[in-house]
Amino acid sequence: MALDITTGRPWPALLDLPWSLPLEEWPEDLLAALPRGISRHVVRFVRIEGRVIAIKEIKADLARREYEMLRALRRLNEPTVEAVGVVTGRVARDGRPLDACLLTRHLQFSLPYRAMLSQSLRKDTADRLIDALAVLLVRLHLVGFFWGDVSLSNTLFKRNAGEFAAYLVDAETGELHQSSLSRGQRLHDLDIARVNIAGELMDLQAGGFVDLDIDPLVVSERIISRYDELWDVLTATEKFEYGNRWQVDERIRKLNDAGFDVGELDITTDIDGTSIQIQPKIVDAGHHCRRLLRLTGLDVEDNQARRLLNDLDSFRAATDRQNEDEELVAHDWLNRIYEPITRTVPRELRGKLEPAEIFHEVLEHRWYMSEQAKKDIAIEEAVKDYVKNVLPHKPDERSVVGVDTEELPVRAKE
Amino acid sequence: MATVTYDEATRVYPGATTPSVDKLNIDIQDGEFLVLVGPSGSGKSTALRMLAGLEEVNSGRILIGDRDVTRLSPKERDVAMVFQNYALYPHMTVADNMGFALKIAGVDKGEIRKRVEEAAKILDLEPYLDRKPKQLSGGQRQRVAMGRAIVRSPQVFLMDEPLSNLDAKLRVQTRTQIASLQRRLGVTTVYVTHDQVEAMTMGDRVAVLKDGVLQQCDTPRRMYDHPDNVFVAGFIGSPAMNLMKLPVTDGGVQLGNGTYPIERGVLNGAREVTFGVRPEDMTPATDGSGLPVEVDVVEELGADAYVYGRVPGSEATATPIVARVDGRQVPQKGETVHFVPKGDHVHLFDVESGARLGG
């Protein structure tokens, strides 16, 4: 049988990989990192044309299905890893057929939950991971995706200005429905999520990687409450008196706060016109990052965008340019504040955090410095101190591809 | 443990013109292993998901025991979707891996230990309860995953193509394991597969669906010996039953240059009939009577061989005729062999409706 590579990326180097060897036997010098732990499937990380690619050995029909699904979700702007390709028709040297391979691109600066939890000194890290997962699950459900295996380990997390942003990694059990999901499907996903999260936390505790005063049951219940809250803000029907029309604005503000824009709002009045009923019909995630992208061309996570936009607003106030065109002010802020600050970071430290996250940390750092000095500290001064005293002590997070349970974390070789 | 009843259960997807599952009626006995089988788009998975509470039921009802669960959430139904993608937790013992979901459900420690030990006994995992998953073989790990569903002691197990991601060898092995485990546990089980061999080897009864409509629900034996319609006849059995459209003659149907006798009452005045014979019911005739088959391929299996061929003069694209013959007396490729049906092992179907004719 001939090798068949389906890919959206024309990378000739794909052809040079030893497809006739079972993934388990690929030579070490080819791998970007060594895999650890128990996994359902064999997974290996390799570097192709400068990018880290995850390769999973799996049945051909499942590989194709997951590939199509990940691509469909990305077309819908859902946060998922990028499916790079599917390799089928693999044959071992002795003529034995080998399983197909699904290739996904490693998400830069993302971390597995175990790395997040084991590195963190903050007690609420687990809660913030769950919050991010709840947002992801709500977003996926809104587009009709039933996950079927919601868990922390099937998710990757990126730092998001003090919060986390969650990305779907494993869509093997997922189904993308044409119509909206039934309540039963949503509840089932939530139930699976809860059991998996509790199990994952109990496991980390059993291994001594997470503080015993975290209660896995309490943390896992949070996925349900956070999901319900957000689902309600995004989809519930609200009814109020005609005179209280400000509540329409209030609802939209709540949606924006949650990071969503309203694409379509259904407004109906009753026959005598005394009450109004509203229900959001289409909502889009990324309220803040869309605005930032439009103003500056920066593509960052939503909470990072919120943070940057706040700084942009302060810049505007400080320079007394409230009446000027927003785009012009944003352009100046980008050239005079954001880029100089993020460029201050020397090349060797750029693998630590993404620029937008560094900018967020510098703002935090400036706040601490100001508080200690009991006076305003300039951002230029804050960034110097941050690069000298804080950033060098942070771990490199650009290419963390997995977590060893003994020795954390596992990084891709540069 | 409980019975399961589909009572006129119907699912129509929004925007669809035809139901995905159409007025399904099945009574599943307490402790029975029922397999839903059919080609893709037959509605088998939808039917299972209606029972699980994942798909809305637009009309009709679903009962578990005497309880109408039609409008209940998945959790309230006390069913377990046994799903192969269980992750095992490396730092937890086998016992904790099996019992942790009960802890979440608030079951007390003593009860958890009791249920885990019971499950471990059934699964031959007793000696390993205090070990970590890393120290287990692949098969044992899979049994731990099954144990997780067993300790919940649900009313019904639901399985949706659980073997689809296993390789052929492990699939056969796990198939046997699941079937024997289910018999020992005696928990009512509904199992979905597209593979009729899997269905026939595992189920106490098999329900064949097509286009959302139940075609037949019977024991594997009955299904094989007495398909209710031409679809079931062609779907169950591998290689498939030979199905030929034959003209009705005086006293029977015309088979080759002779007549295969059939009672007049059975044919109901039809001028043509779909005539079905399973490959193992085709016997080579030495006297030149019966159906002539020009041999294209012979597949030798040792004791037996399958002969694939065509009726001379038929189109090249026609479904080949298949016959099982003695492995020691195999015809040559290109040779023409005449076959007659063995005894009364013949199935007749209405050409229009596909329904079975006669008994």
Side-chain angles (χ1 to χ4, degrees):
Chain A
M1 201 157 44
L3 199 64
D4 181 5
I5 303 182
T6 305
T7 174
R9 299 271 180 185
W11 295 335
L14 281 178
L15 285 167
D16 299 335
L17 293 171
W19 297 114
S20 59
L21 281 180
L23 201 47
E24 235 170 348
E25 294 168 19
W26 282 24
E28 261 184 45
D29 61 310
L30 210 63
L31 305 181
L34 288 176
R36 324 269 156 116
I38 298 175
S39 165
R40 289 200 300 270
H41 304 288
V42 181
V43 178
R44 294 290 182 269
F45 292 92
V46 298
R47 197 174 278 281
I48 300 173
E49 321 220 339
R51 299 148 185 109
V52 177
I53 303 291
I55 305 181
K56 170 162 91 169
E57 211 166 57
I58 180 177
K59 294 235 152 301
D61 48 339
L62 297 179
R64 267 188 228 107
R65 192 173 164 275
E66 192 172 354
Y67 175 75
E68 292 304 333
M69 189 113 60
L70 287 172
R71 287 173 66 94
L73 285 172
R74 268 179 86 93
R75 274 197 294 275
L76 292 166
N77 273 323
E78 295 303 298
T80 67
V81 291
E82 180 192 335
V84 170
V86 177
V87 180
T88 55
R90 295 172 63 213
V91 180
R93 296 213 173 98
D94 60 7
R96 195 163 43 96
L98 296 172
D99 272 348
C101 284
L102 173 70
L103 282 61
T104 53
R105 186 166 172 185
H106 173 254
L107 189 65
Q108 280 202 337
F109 292 101
S110 67
L111 293 174
Y113 76 103
R114 285 183 288 168
M116 292 279 192
L117 283 174
S118 316
Q119 283 172 9
S120 172
L121 299 172
R122 284 178 63 175
K123 280 241 180 302
D124 63 347
T125 301
D127 286 349
R128 288 180 299 134
L129 291 175
I130 303 299
D131 293 353
L133 184 54
V135 173
L136 174 63
L137 191 56
V138 165
R139 289 185 61 175
L140 292 170
H141 281 179
L142 282 171
V143 298
F145 182 77
F146 171 75
W147 192 338
D149 196 12
V150 191
S151 66
L152 291 169
S153 45
N154 284 338
T155 310
L156 280 176
F157 296 91
K158 285 183 74 171
R159 296 192 184 278
N160 182 16
E163 297 179 6
F164 294 117
Y167 284 75
L168 174 123
V169 191
D170 189 319
E172 206 181 305
T173 50
E175 295 159 11
L176 193 52
H177 292 251
Q178 292 300 315
S179 50
S180 49
L181 294 183
S182 70
R183 189 170 157 271
Q185 283 160 335
R186 294 193 300 110
L187 289 176
H188 190 50
D189 248 1
L190 269 178
D191 196 39
I192 291 168
R194 200 190 146 204
V195 172
N196 281 342
I197 291 167
E200 286 165 330
L201 293 175
M202 285 179 194
D203 185 55
L204 284 187
Q205 282 187 336
F209 301 107
V210 169
D211 232 325
L212 285 172
D213 50 336
I214 287 182
D215 183 342
L217 299 189
V218 174
V219 176
S220 68
E221 262 163 40
R222 188 181 175 94
I223 187 76
I224 298 175
S225 56
R226 291 311 299 249
Y227 174 97
D228 285 346
E229 270 168 43
L230 187 56
W231 187 262
D232 210 46
V233 169
L234 297 179
T235 64
T237 304
E238 239 179 314
K239 199 172 179 177
F240 41 81
E241 296 297 299
Y242 193 75
N244 291 341
R245 272 170 299 171
W246 56 272
Q247 287 188 328
V248 177
D249 294 335
E250 175 63 15
R251 178 65 178 274
I252 291 171
R253 196 189 55 76
K254 264 200 230 163
L255 272 147
N256 292 163
D257 276 355
F260 288 79
D261 281 322
V262 182
E264 197 179 305
L265 187 69
D266 200 30
I267 307 180
T268 49
T269 60
D270 57 2
I271 294 166
D272 60 3
T274 55
S275 67
I276 302 180
Q277 193 170 293
I278 59 166
Q279 189 191 15
K281 285 292 179 195
I282 298 171
V283 293
D284 298 307
H287 171 68
H288 301 98
C289 58
R290 253 197 304 278
R291 187 174 155 226
L292 185 74
L293 185 68
R294 178 174 60 80
L295 289 173
T296 64
L298 292 174
D299 191 4
V300 304
E301 297 295 336
D302 206 50
N303 202 47
Q304 290 171 338
R306 187 197 309 242
R307 199 73 215 273
L308 267 51
L309 287 166
N310 281 342
D311 194 62
L312 169 60
D313 286 341
S314 315
F315 173 79
R316 207 165 159 193
T319 49
D320 200 15
R321 295 168 70 183
Q322 277 95 333
N323 298 324
E324 263 183 56
D325 187 17
E326 201 182 17
E327 272 91 355
L328 281 178
V329 184
H331 185 75
D332 282 352
W333 170 82
L334 192 66
N335 286 331
R336 285 167 51 188
I337 307 285
Y338 182 81
E339 286 188 337
I341 293 301
T342 49
R343 267 205 306 266
T344 309
V345 178
R347 179 170 294 278
E348 66 274 16
L349 296 182
R350 287 186 189 160
K352 303 263 181 201
L353 293 172
E354 282 187 295
E357 192 63 20
I358 289 182
F359 192 82
H360 155 74
E361 293 228 328
V362 169
L363 292 179
E364 294 279 285
H365 192 66
R366 180 176 65 170
W367 188 85
Y368 286 118
M369 286 176 72
S370 304
E371 174 121 306
Q372 279 194 333
K374 300 212 164 22
K375 62 163 184 156
D376 271 354
I377 301 286
I379 192 161
E380 292 78 7
E381 197 180 324
V383 75
K384 271 187 211 132
D385 192 65
Y386 176 81
V387 166
K388 187 168 165 233
N389 297 315
V390 182
L391 195 58
H393 306 294
K394 298 216 170 240
D396 268 11
E397 293 187 347
R398 193 207 310 264
S399 309
V400 177
V401 293
V403 183
D404 190 332
T405 44
E406 310 301 320
E407 153 203 350
L408 307 157
V410 179
R411 287 196 182 79
K413 290 182 287 196
E414 289 294 334
Chain B
M1 274 173 257
T3 58
V4 171
T5 311
Y6 284 93
D7 175 17
E8 299 280 299
T10 300
R11 171 67 178 144
V12 189
Y13 282 106
T17 47
T18 52
S20 291
V21 171
D22 197 358
K23 295 194 181 111
L24 183 61
N25 287 302
I26 307 178
D27 288 310
I28 304 168
Q29 299 307 306
D30 185 8
E32 186 173 359
F33 194 124
L34 182 97
V35 181
L36 297 170
V37 67
S40 127
S42 62
K44 56 189 188 302
S45 283
T46 307
L48 184 86
R49 286 156 194 215
M50 288 159 79
L51 172 56
L54 300 179
E55 289 290 353
E56 212 179 299
V57 177
N58 299 97
S59 65
R61 299 183 307 161
I62 291 179
L63 306 173
I64 295 177
D66 298 327
R67 205 159 64 113
D68 185 340
V69 299
T70 316
R71 305 270 163 253
L72 296 186
S73 77
K75 221 169 146 182
E76 292 165 322
R77 296 183 183 211
D78 198 12
V79 298
M81 284 285 257
V82 183
F83 112 97
Q84 287 293 297
N85 286 331
Y86 279 124
L88 292 187
Y89 299 116
H91 304 108
M92 281 163 36
T93 61
V94 168
D96 287 343
N97 262 293
M98 280 163 72
F100 84 96
L102 294 179
K103 201 162 149 191
I104 300 167
V107 179
D108 78 71
K109 267 191 183 158
E111 175 69 18
I112 296 178
R113 188 71 201 181
K114 197 180 119 219
R115 288 208 219 164
V116 166
E117 277 170 6
E118 280 169 11
K121 202 169 176 180
I122 293 171
L123 294 163
D124 294 323
L125 287 171
E126 268 178 314
Y128 310 104
L129 280 180
D130 294 318
R131 296 201 194 166
K132 302 280 168 66
K134 218 202 253 178
Q135 297 160 275
L136 303 185
S137 70
Q140 286 168 333
R141 284 182 199 165
Q142 206 156 24
R143 295 212 295 277
V144 175
M146 283 186 207
R148 208 179 272 175
I150 293 171
V151 297
R152 285 184 48 198
S153 44
Q155 304 252 31
V156 185
F157 282 134
L158 306 180
M159 308 192 197
D160 192 352
E161 305 258 10
L163 309 181
S164 59
N165 59 356
L166 303 180
D167 63 45
K169 200 172 142 202
L170 198 58
R171 191 154 49 207
V172 173
Q173 216 174 43
T174 314
R175 184 164 92 192
T176 323
Q177 260 178 20
I178 291 180
S180 90
L181 186 64
Q182 193 275 341
R183 257 130 228 166
R184 273 192 279 170
L185 291 168
V187 178
T188 314
T189 301
V190 183
Y191 185 105
V192 165
T193 179
H194 66 281
D195 180 347
Q196 57 90 20
V197 177
E198 211 167 290
M200 297 291 277
T201 50
M202 294 181 84
D204 291 323
R205 275 192 307 159
V206 176
V208 178
L209 283 100
K210 183 192 165 234
D211 300 334
V213 179
L214 179 66
Q215 304 292 312
Q216 186 171 355
C217 181
D218 258 318
T219 61
R221 183 81 263 154
R222 174 84 183 161
M223 186 82 72
Y224 194 79
D225 289 343
H226 195 275
D228 282 351
N229 61 40
V230 74
F231 175 78
V232 175
F235 187 73
I236 297 291
S238 176
M241 185 188 286
N242 298 296
L243 292 163
M244 301 158 258
K245 218 186 264 182
L246 297 182
V248 171
T249 59
D250 206 22
V253 295
Q254 192 179 334
L255 185 68
N257 47 17
T259 295
Y260 182 86
I262 291 166
E263 274 177 50
R264 188 174 296 272
V266 172
L267 294 172
N268 218 356
R271 296 169 61 186
E272 256 189 335
V273 70
T274 302
F275 185 89
V277 191
R278 294 212 177 271
E280 67 273 25
D281 294 329
M282 304 267 281
T283 317
T286 42
D287 58 0
S289 68
L291 190 72
V293 175
E294 192 182 319
V295 178
D296 284 333
V297 177
V298 179
E299 194 179 79
E300 302 225 32
L301 301 170
D304 304 312
Y306 282 111
V307 171
Y308 294 81
R310 283 173 298 115
V311 177
S314 66
E315 284 172 42
T317 52
T319 314
I321 302 284
V322 189
R324 194 173 78 188
V325 299
D326 187 335
R328 291 193 181 78
Q329 290 173 10
V330 175
Q332 295 299 309
K333 192 180 163 196
E335 199 179 316
T336 297
V337 186
H338 285 75
F339 287 99
V340 289
K342 214 179 265 177
D344 59 352
H345 291 199
V346 159
H347 309 263
L348 300 170
F349 305 97
D350 188 286
V351 173
E352 296 294 319
S353 70
R356 186 180 186 88
L357 299 173

